[in-house]
Amino acid sequence: LPPKVTFMPNVLSVGVRTFLNPGWRQEITLECTNCSKLNRIVVQPVLPDDACKGLTQQSLAAIAAAARDGQVPLTVGLEHHENSKIEEIIRTQGSEQSMIGVFCAAPPQGPCNGQEAFGIDPLSIVGTFASTSAAGNEAVFMLESERRLLARERQGVFPKHS
C-alpha cells in the first residue's frame, strides 16, 4: 500500500539559528500510515514576498501549485483541515475558483519541481525516514544539514528590514 500522509494541524516552526548553523538536526513527526525507509520529505523555506503578505497566503499558493502538478494525492489526510481553504484547494487540484481570496499567485510549478538535480531546490532540506510508531500511524523523519548557508542564500531567506 502507498503511504498516506496527513496534513499537520499547525505550522511547524524551526528556529532561525537552526538553519544558520552547520551540523544541526531536527526530528519531525508526521501522521503517516505505511511510511518506510523508501519515503522522504523535502522542506523548502518560504521566502519573503511583499505581494503575498504572510505565511498563510504563501503556503496556500504553494499548496495550489503542488495540487496542480499532482504532487498532493487526493488521498492525503485532511482531518485537521476539514472545510478549510486547504481542503478546497486540494480537492479541486488548485483550480482558479479555489484561489478566490488567496492574494498570492500560485507558482508556475509545484515545490517538488525545482531546478536542481532530482527536482530539489538548493535551499531545500531532504528529511530521511528514521522510525515509525508502534501503532504504525506516525513516522519520524530526520532533517539535518552539514553546511552553512552561503551569504547570498542567507540574504534570500533572511532579508534585512529597514
Side-chain angles (χ1 to χ4, degrees):
L1 294 172
K4 180 183 177 190
V5 178
T6 300
F7 264 81
M8 298 173 81
N10 300 307
V11 173
L12 176 69
S13 179
V14 178
V16 170
R17 290 181 192 264
T18 299
F19 285 99
L20 289 178
N21 297 307
W24 62 267
R25 297 171 61 106
Q26 176 80 37
E27 285 187 352
I28 295 182
T29 302
L30 301 175
E31 291 180 45
C32 183
T33 307
N34 299 321
C35 279
S36 72
K37 64 181 180 180
L38 298 175
N39 302 116
R40 66 181 183 166
I41 61 172
V42 178
V43 176
Q44 287 185 291
V46 176
L47 300 176
D49 183 339
D50 291 338
C52 289
K53 307 293 184 213
L55 176 64
T56 300
Q57 291 288 315
Q58 288 177 287
S59 297
L60 291 172
I63 290 168
R68 289 177 188 165
D69 277 358
Q71 296 170 6
V72 181
L74 294 175
T75 59
V76 70
L78 294 167
E79 292 83 13
H80 303 296
H81 299 282
E82 290 179 351
N83 301 315
S84 71
K85 195 65 165 174
I86 291 173
E87 181 182 44
E88 178 184 355
I89 289 169
I90 290 171
R91 296 290 180 234
T92 63
Q93 296 178 317
S95 71
E96 292 300 319
Q97 182 71 20
S98 71
M99 295 300 287
I100 293 173
V102 178
F103 305 111
C104 296
Q109 59 187 12
C112 295
N113 290 338
Q115 302 297 321
E116 301 297 314
F118 304 109
I120 299 170
D121 183 280
L123 288 178
S124 296
I125 299 160
V126 177
T128 56
F129 177 83
S131 64
T132 188
S133 66
N137 62 345
E138 291 184 337
V140 176
F141 290 87
M142 180 63 68
L143 299 173
E144 54 191 325
S145 176
E146 297 175 356
R147 72 177 185 92
R148 184 172 182 81
L149 292 177
L150 300 173
R152 63 181 162 79
E153 292 172 333
R154 286 193 309 273
Q155 288 172 351
V157 177
F158 308 110
K160 293 182 181 177
H161 298 284
S162 50

